[in-house]
Amino acid sequence: PEEELLAQMKQKTRYNVRLASRKGVTVRQGAFSDLDTLYRMYAETSVRDGFVIRQPDYYRTVWETFLDHGQAEVLIAEVDGSPVAAVIAFCFSGRAWFVYGMSRELHREKMPAYLLQWEAMQRLKGRGVRIYDLWGAPDNFTAADPLWGVYRFKQGLGGQVVRTIGAWDYPLRPGIYRIYTRFFPRFMALLRYRGMTRTHAGLS
Protein backbone atom coordinates (compact mmCIF):
# COMPACT_ATOMS: atom_id res chain seq x y z
CA PRO A 1 0.00 0.00 0.00
CA GLU A 2 1.11 3.55 -0.69
CA GLU A 3 0.94 4.40 3.01
CA GLU A 4 3.48 1.65 3.73
CA LEU A 5 5.75 2.81 0.90
CA LEU A 6 5.77 6.30 2.40
CA ALA A 7 6.31 4.93 5.90
CA GLN A 8 9.45 3.09 4.71
CA MET A 9 11.00 6.35 3.53
CA LYS A 10 13.19 8.53 5.69
CA GLN A 11 11.38 11.45 7.31
CA LYS A 12 13.49 13.95 5.34
CA THR A 13 12.54 12.22 2.07
CA ARG A 14 8.83 12.39 2.86
CA TYR A 15 9.30 16.07 3.71
CA ASN A 16 11.02 16.72 0.38
CA VAL A 17 8.24 14.94 -1.55
CA ARG A 18 5.68 17.23 0.07
CA LEU A 19 7.94 20.26 -0.35
CA ALA A 20 8.19 19.71 -4.11
CA SER A 21 4.41 19.64 -4.40
CA ARG A 22 4.06 22.82 -2.34
CA LYS A 23 6.70 24.58 -4.43
CA GLY A 24 4.76 24.00 -7.64
CA VAL A 25 6.58 20.99 -9.07
CA THR A 26 4.33 18.90 -11.32
CA VAL A 27 5.01 15.56 -12.98
CA ARG A 28 3.81 14.45 -16.41
CA GLN A 29 4.26 11.46 -18.68
CA GLY A 30 7.06 11.78 -21.20
CA ALA A 31 6.70 10.99 -24.91
CA PHE A 32 8.81 10.58 -28.05
CA SER A 33 8.67 14.32 -28.61
CA ASP A 34 10.54 14.84 -25.31
CA LEU A 35 13.62 12.79 -26.21
CA ASP A 36 15.75 15.75 -27.28
CA THR A 37 14.88 17.59 -24.07
CA LEU A 38 15.71 14.50 -22.03
CA TYR A 39 19.11 14.18 -23.66
CA ARG A 40 19.98 17.82 -22.96
CA MET A 41 19.04 17.37 -19.31
CA TYR A 42 21.09 14.17 -19.17
CA ALA A 43 24.06 15.97 -20.72
CA GLU A 44 23.74 18.80 -18.19
CA THR A 45 23.65 16.22 -15.39
CA SER A 46 26.77 14.48 -16.72
CA VAL A 47 28.74 17.73 -16.82
CA ARG A 48 27.66 18.72 -13.32
CA ASP A 49 28.27 15.30 -11.75
CA GLY A 50 31.37 14.38 -13.74
CA PHE A 51 30.36 11.23 -15.63
CA VAL A 52 30.69 10.54 -19.35
CA ILE A 53 27.74 9.90 -21.63
CA ARG A 54 27.39 8.67 -25.20
CA GLN A 55 26.21 10.48 -28.31
CA PRO A 56 22.49 11.45 -28.61
CA ASP A 57 21.70 8.74 -31.19
CA TYR A 58 22.60 6.01 -28.71
CA TYR A 59 20.08 7.21 -26.12
CA ARG A 60 17.39 7.91 -28.70
CA THR A 61 17.69 4.31 -29.92
CA VAL A 62 17.53 2.89 -26.38
CA TRP A 63 14.65 5.07 -25.21
CA GLU A 64 12.61 4.68 -28.41
CA THR A 65 13.04 0.91 -28.36
CA PHE A 66 11.71 0.54 -24.83
CA LEU A 67 8.91 3.06 -25.43
CA ASP A 68 7.89 1.25 -28.62
CA HIS A 69 7.48 -1.98 -26.66
CA GLY A 70 5.66 -0.38 -23.74
CA GLN A 71 8.51 -1.22 -21.38
CA ALA A 72 9.54 2.28 -20.33
CA GLU A 73 8.07 4.69 -17.82
CA VAL A 74 9.23 8.23 -18.65
CA LEU A 75 8.31 10.94 -16.16
CA ILE A 76 9.23 14.60 -16.41
CA ALA A 77 9.08 17.10 -13.54
CA GLU A 78 8.24 20.67 -14.48
CA VAL A 79 8.07 24.06 -12.81
CA ASP A 80 5.83 26.58 -14.55
CA GLY A 81 5.82 24.35 -17.63
CA SER A 82 9.62 24.14 -17.86
CA PRO A 83 11.27 20.68 -17.55
CA VAL A 84 13.66 20.51 -14.60
CA ALA A 85 14.20 16.78 -14.00
CA ALA A 86 13.25 13.38 -15.38
CA VAL A 87 13.28 9.67 -14.63
CA ILE A 88 13.35 6.79 -17.10
CA ALA A 89 12.58 3.33 -15.70
CA PHE A 90 12.52 0.11 -17.71
CA CYS A 91 9.86 -2.48 -16.90
CA PHE A 92 9.63 -6.20 -17.51
CA SER A 93 7.78 -9.08 -15.87
CA GLY A 94 6.67 -7.33 -12.69
CA ARG A 95 9.98 -5.58 -12.11
CA ALA A 96 11.27 -2.09 -12.94
CA TRP A 97 14.79 -0.63 -13.03
CA PHE A 98 15.66 3.00 -12.39
CA VAL A 99 18.25 3.34 -15.15
CA TYR A 100 18.32 7.03 -16.09
CA GLY A 101 17.88 10.05 -13.87
CA MET A 102 18.58 13.62 -14.95
CA SER A 103 18.08 17.14 -13.68
CA ARG A 104 18.88 20.74 -14.39
CA GLU A 105 20.47 23.20 -11.99
CA LEU A 106 17.33 25.31 -12.33
CA HIS A 107 14.88 24.88 -9.40
CA ARG A 108 16.91 22.12 -7.70
CA GLU A 109 16.02 23.68 -4.34
CA LYS A 110 12.41 22.64 -5.00
CA MET A 111 13.40 18.96 -4.76
CA PRO A 112 11.84 17.70 -8.03
CA ALA A 113 13.82 14.42 -7.92
CA TYR A 114 11.98 13.32 -4.77
CA LEU A 115 8.52 13.92 -6.19
CA LEU A 116 9.57 12.20 -9.42
CA GLN A 117 10.55 9.02 -7.60
CA TRP A 118 7.35 8.98 -5.58
CA GLU A 119 5.28 9.43 -8.76
CA ALA A 120 7.33 6.69 -10.44
CA MET A 121 6.60 4.27 -7.60
CA GLN A 122 2.87 4.94 -7.81
CA ARG A 123 2.69 4.64 -11.59
CA LEU A 124 4.87 1.53 -11.72
CA LYS A 125 2.73 -0.06 -9.04
CA GLY A 126 -0.28 0.67 -11.24
CA ARG A 127 1.43 -1.22 -14.07
CA GLY A 128 1.73 -4.33 -11.90
CA VAL A 129 5.35 -3.78 -10.92
CA ARG A 130 6.17 -5.54 -7.62
CA ILE A 131 9.87 -4.65 -7.33
CA TYR A 132 11.41 -1.28 -8.14
CA ASP A 133 15.16 -1.76 -8.47
CA LEU A 134 16.96 1.52 -7.73
CA TRP A 135 20.01 -0.01 -9.41
CA GLY A 136 23.34 0.86 -7.92
CA ALA A 137 25.12 1.42 -4.61
CA PRO A 138 28.72 1.95 -3.47
CA ASP A 139 31.06 -0.98 -3.02
CA ASN A 140 32.16 0.57 0.27
CA PHE A 141 29.68 2.46 2.39
CA THR A 142 31.79 5.46 3.26
CA ALA A 143 31.26 9.15 2.62
CA ALA A 144 34.43 9.19 0.50
CA ASP A 145 32.86 6.95 -2.14
CA PRO A 146 31.73 8.84 -5.29
CA LEU A 147 28.33 7.12 -5.10
CA TRP A 148 27.71 8.05 -1.48
CA GLY A 149 25.28 10.88 -2.26
CA VAL A 150 23.36 8.67 -4.69
CA TYR A 151 23.22 5.91 -2.08
CA ARG A 152 21.85 8.27 0.59
CA PHE A 153 19.16 9.45 -1.82
CA LYS A 154 18.09 5.87 -2.61
CA GLN A 155 18.28 4.86 1.04
CA GLY A 156 15.95 7.74 1.86
CA LEU A 157 13.41 6.32 -0.57
CA GLY A 158 13.34 3.08 1.41
CA GLY A 159 15.77 1.16 -0.76
CA GLN A 160 17.50 -1.93 0.59
CA VAL A 161 20.98 -3.11 -0.39
CA VAL A 162 20.95 -6.42 -2.27
CA ARG A 163 24.34 -7.91 -3.16
CA THR A 164 24.75 -9.98 -6.32
CA ILE A 165 27.69 -11.93 -7.72
CA GLY A 166 28.90 -8.91 -9.68
CA ALA A 167 31.15 -8.86 -12.74
CA TRP A 168 34.48 -10.68 -12.77
CA ASP A 169 37.34 -11.11 -15.25
CA TYR A 170 38.74 -14.54 -16.09
CA PRO A 171 42.22 -13.84 -17.55
CA LEU A 172 42.97 -16.51 -20.15
CA ARG A 173 46.34 -14.90 -20.88
CA PRO A 174 47.79 -13.48 -17.64
CA GLY A 175 50.61 -11.58 -19.35
CA ILE A 176 48.28 -9.74 -21.71
CA TYR A 177 45.85 -9.22 -18.87
CA ARG A 178 48.52 -7.44 -16.80
CA ILE A 179 49.18 -5.10 -19.72
CA TYR A 180 45.44 -4.56 -20.09
CA THR A 181 44.96 -3.66 -16.41
CA ARG A 182 47.91 -1.23 -16.56
CA PHE A 183 47.00 0.67 -19.73
CA PHE A 184 43.22 0.35 -20.01
CA PRO A 185 42.49 2.83 -17.17
CA ARG A 186 44.61 5.44 -18.97
CA PHE A 187 42.77 4.75 -22.22
CA MET A 188 39.42 5.10 -20.44
CA ALA A 189 40.57 8.34 -18.82
CA LEU A 190 41.34 9.71 -22.29
CA LEU A 191 37.93 8.64 -23.57
CA ARG A 192 36.26 10.26 -20.56
CA TYR A 193 38.12 13.50 -21.17
CA ARG A 194 37.16 13.53 -24.84
CA GLY A 195 33.56 12.65 -24.00
CA MET A 196 33.29 15.36 -21.37
CA THR A 197 34.79 17.93 -23.76
CA ARG A 198 32.30 16.92 -26.46
CA THR A 199 29.35 17.15 -24.07
CA HIS A 200 30.48 20.59 -22.84
CA ALA A 201 30.70 21.78 -26.44
CA GLY A 202 27.23 20.42 -27.22
CA LEU A 203 25.67 22.32 -24.33
CA SER A 204 27.30 25.65 -25.19
Side-chain angles (χ1 to χ4, degrees):
E2 292 180 2
E3 295 78 12
E4 289 187 23
L5 290 175
L6 280 170
Q8 289 174 4
M9 295 181 184
K10 300 283 188 182
Q11 181 179 357
K12 182 65 173 178
T13 299
R14 291 195 298 270
Y15 173 82
N16 286 337
V17 170
R18 293 190 293 268
L19 176 69
S21 296
R22 291 199 306 270
K23 293 291 186 178
V25 179
T26 58
V27 177
R28 67 171 176 85
Q29 195 88 28
F32 289 102
S33 58
D34 295 305
L35 293 184
D36 288 339
T37 299
L38 290 170
Y39 179 79
R40 285 195 64 82
M41 274 200 289
Y42 196 49
E44 184 175 335
T45 305
S46 78
V47 170
R48 184 182 65 241
D49 294 347
F51 62 89
V52 179
I53 63 174
R54 295 176 171 89
Q55 295 281 21
D57 287 348
Y58 170 87
Y59 296 100
R60 178 174 286 277
T61 299
V62 172
W63 297 340
E64 283 184 347
T65 300
F66 278 87
L67 280 169
D68 273 339
H69 290 81
Q71 292 178 327
E73 189 73 35
V74 181
L75 298 177
I76 300 173
E78 297 181 332
V79 175
D80 297 329
S82 177
V84 294
V87 163
I88 302 177
F90 295 154
C91 317
F92 181 74
S93 188
R95 190 180 188 115
W97 292 263
F98 168 40
V99 181
Y100 296 104
M102 56 209 75
S103 63
R104 301 177 61 195
E105 196 67 36
L106 185 68
H107 297 300
R108 291 189 76 197
E109 77 284 356
K110 295 178 180 177
M111 305 297 172
Y114 290 87
L115 184 60
L116 264 176
Q117 289 292 343
W118 174 232
E119 287 282 343
M121 290 178 186
Q122 295 176 84
R123 296 187 190 219
L124 291 167
K125 184 171 178 286
R127 292 178 60 147
V129 168
R130 300 184 304 277
I131 297 174
Y132 182 32
D133 189 338
L134 294 170
W135 207 49
D139 289 325
N140 301 303
F141 294 98
T142 65
D145 192 286
L147 287 176
W148 182 249
V150 175
Y151 165 67
R152 292 295 300 274
F153 173 71
K154 295 175 180 179
Q155 186 186 42
L157 293 167
Q160 300 174 355
V161 176
V162 178
R163 294 292 191 186
T164 59
I165 193 171
W168 297 82
D169 292 342
Y170 181 68
L172 297 172
R173 298 182 179 179
I176 294 176
Y177 185 74
R178 281 194 293 272
I179 295 172
Y180 163 79
T181 55
R182 178 177 297 179
F183 290 102
F184 188 70
R186 300 178 191 177
F187 176 67
M188 289 303 298
L190 175 62
L191 290 183
R192 289 190 184 96
Y193 173 77
R194 291 177 60 185
M196 194 67 69
T197 302
R198 186 179 62 238
T199 303
H200 269 287
L203 286 173
S204 59

